[in-house]
Structures are given as C-alpha cells and as structure tokens.
C-alpha cells in the first residue's frame, strides 16, 4: 500500500510540474505580447497625427495652387472598358464624358453661366439643360487625389500596418470619416477605407506640375471591383474651348 501511495504522489507531483511549466510558458507569452503592444503604443504615442498628416500633404505636393485639372482614364469592370474624360476648373467650368457600353456617350458640361447634359450615340445625342443646383455642385468638384479633409483635433493615429507591400501609418480622420493609409517611407496616400467599408487603393504615382498623382486606382466594395487607369493628366493647363460646345 505504501508503494502504491508513493507512486500516486509521484504521479501527482509530475502532473503539478507540467501544469506549472505550462502556466509559466503562458506567462512568458503574455509578457512578450504585452511588451510588443507597449512598444507599438510607445511608437504611436511618439508620433503627432497632425504632423504625420501635414508631412503627407507636403509629400503629395502643393495642391493649393491648383486651378484646373484634366484627366483621361479608362475604367475596367466586369470585363468592360469604359473611357472617361474629366475637366474641372474650380468654380468656373466642369466637363465629364463617359462612354457607356451598348448605350453610347453621356456628357455633362457646366459653366458659371449654366450647363447642359447629353446622351446617346454620335450624331443622335439628346441635349437637355442642367438644373442650377446640379451646375453649382459640378463646379465645386474637389481634386480627386490627395489627403481628404480632416478636422483639427479629431484625427486619430490607430497605429501602423502593412498595406499592400508598404508599411503605413493608419489614421482615422474623425468620427464618421475615412480611415487612410499613409506610406511611412514616402508619405503618399496608399489606401482609403470609407465608413461603408468600401476601399480605394492608390498606386503608380507620378509627378504632374509639382503634384504627386496616382495614375492607377482600384475601388473595391464587397465582390465588386473597378480599376481605373489614367492615360493623361494635366494640371493648370489651358483646354480647348470647343470641349464645352453642346453636340448638334
């Protein structure tokens, strides 16, 4: 009986040692995770979100001097290629031309004096006047690239993580605002996630008139994906006035 009791106590002792070792290992892992989290928070706390945003804005270029922009691009979605031409002169002129498969062209044109819209195939387009509210909205189209506007004191630095192949700062621009991904190396805007979880990825940056512009954008919402590639982008350059003539 003594031998059996001794063996039982010996077995319990071994089980106890295993449990101690297991808890010790778990404790080490918890400490490692806590230290890693503390290090990450220290890095984040050492960064001023306003400074990060300001640095990225500088890296993107001086868009404040931008008075007009013109862009030719092709959107690809569901095995279709859709050419799009856009011109905006802030507060003065707006032009949008889209070729819709199986339908023809859709055109919108607005100037401070009024606007028109047209649709249909070449030579058979129907032209209608634009409402004043639509004209005002068109004339105030923002430049589609660059850091979105944020309210001072409301942007939050969420940390950093990899977006695509680049390590990025992750910044929430405010309540009900976008979350953006800014490259730590270049400061360029790499990604944007809206409140509805739709995502925009920016790539193929090139300098145009002193402004860094992404010539490729990828929009994704759910299973739907649209890729847009620019063939031509002009900033602050004169445009042929015939662009604004309504088709006959």
């Amino acid at each position: 009986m003594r031998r059996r009791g001794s063996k039982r106590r010996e077995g319990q002792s071994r089980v106890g040692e295993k449990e101690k070792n297991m808890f010790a290992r778990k404790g080490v892992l918890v400490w490692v995770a806590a230290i890693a989290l503390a290090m990450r928070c220290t890095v984040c706390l050492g960064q001023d979100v306003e400074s990060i945003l300001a640095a990225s804005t500088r890296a993107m270029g001086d868009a404040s001097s931008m008075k007009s922009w013109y862009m030719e691009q092709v959107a690809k979605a569901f095995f279709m290629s859709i050419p799009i031409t856009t011109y905006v002169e802030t507060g003065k002129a707006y032009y949008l031309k889209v070729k819709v498969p199986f339908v023809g062209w859709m055109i919108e044109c607005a100037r401070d004096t009024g606007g028109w819209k047209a649709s249909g195939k070449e030579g058979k387009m129907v032209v209608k006047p634009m409402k004043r509210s639509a004209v005002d909205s068109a004339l105030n189209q923002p430049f589609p690239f660059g850091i979105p506007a944020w309210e001072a004191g409301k942007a939050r630095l969420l940390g950093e993580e990899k977006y695509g192949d680049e390590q990025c700062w992750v910044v929430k621009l405010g309540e009900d605002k976008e979350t953006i991904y800014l490259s730590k190396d270049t400061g360029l805007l790499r990604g944007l996630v809206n409140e509805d979880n739709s995502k925009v990825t920016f790539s193929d940056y090139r300098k145009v008139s002193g402004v860094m512009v992404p010539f490729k954008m990828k929009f994704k919402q759910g299973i739907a994906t649209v890729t847009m590639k620019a063939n031509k982008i002009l900033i602050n350059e004169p445009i042929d006035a015939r662009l604004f003539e309504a088709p006959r």
Side-chain angles (χ1 to χ4, degrees), residues 13-225:
S13 177
R14 288 176 181 173
V15 171
E17 288 179 5
K18 288 181 179 179
E19 289 178 346
K20 288 179 182 178
N21 291 335
M22 180 179 67
F23 285 123
R25 286 195 294 271
K26 285 186 176 180
V28 170
L29 291 175
V30 169
W31 273 106
V32 169
I35 292 170
L37 180 61
M39 288 177 67
R40 179 176 178 180
C41 290
T42 301
V43 171
C44 293
L45 290 172
Q47 296 292 330
D48 178 4
V49 66
E50 296 288 340
S51 297
I52 291 174
L53 289 168
S56 290
T57 300
R58 288 193 299 272
M60 296 288 286
D62 184 16
S64 62
S65 62
M66 189 182 303
K67 297 178 180 178
S68 68
W69 52 274
Y70 172 87
M71 179 166 54
E72 295 176 4
Q73 58 187 341
V74 176
K76 292 189 176 182
F78 304 108
F79 308 103
M80 296 185 296
S81 293
I82 305 171
I84 303 172
T85 300
T86 310
Y87 173 74
V88 173
E89 186 177 0
T90 306
K92 293 183 178 181
Y94 169 81
Y95 178 87
L96 174 68
K97 185 176 182 180
V98 182
K99 189 173 185 180
V100 183
F102 314 113
V103 176
W105 293 98
M106 292 181 64
I107 305 174
E108 290 185 353
C109 181
R111 306 199 82 161
D112 49 2
T113 54
W116 52 265
K117 55 185 179 180
S119 60
K121 297 183 178 180
E122 294 285 355
K124 297 181 179 180
M125 302 192 77
V126 178
V127 181
K128 296 180 180 179
M130 286 179 69
K131 293 181 179 179
R132 187 66 230 184
S133 58
V135 170
D136 293 338
S137 176
L139 294 179
N140 289 289
Q141 289 287 323
F143 186 60
F145 313 115
I147 310 299
W150 72 90
E151 295 180 53
K154 293 192 176 181
R156 292 185 294 117
L157 180 60
L158 303 182
E160 59 175 276
E161 62 182 73
K162 210 159 190 178
Y163 190 95
D165 58 354
E166 285 195 65
Q167 196 69 17
C168 294
W169 293 118
V170 185
V171 178
K172 174 75 171 174
L173 294 178
E175 295 298 327
D176 301 321
K177 289 278 190 177
E178 304 93 333
T179 298
I180 59 175
Y181 295 76
L182 304 171
S183 169
K184 290 188 68 178
D185 291 333
T186 64
L188 298 177
L189 177 65
R190 287 300 181 185
L192 182 151
V193 179
N194 290 299
E195 288 294 291
D196 61 1
N197 213 33
S198 59
K199 180 189 292 187
V200 188
T201 300
F202 305 90
S203 59
D204 190 16
Y205 273 91
R206 306 179 200 176
K207 185 169 283 190
V208 180
S209 299
V211 179
M212 294 299 292
V213 180
F215 273 62
K216 182 178 179 181
M217 295 187 294
K218 186 176 182 180
F219 301 83
K220 185 173 178 61
Q221 184 169 29
I223 61 172
T225 300

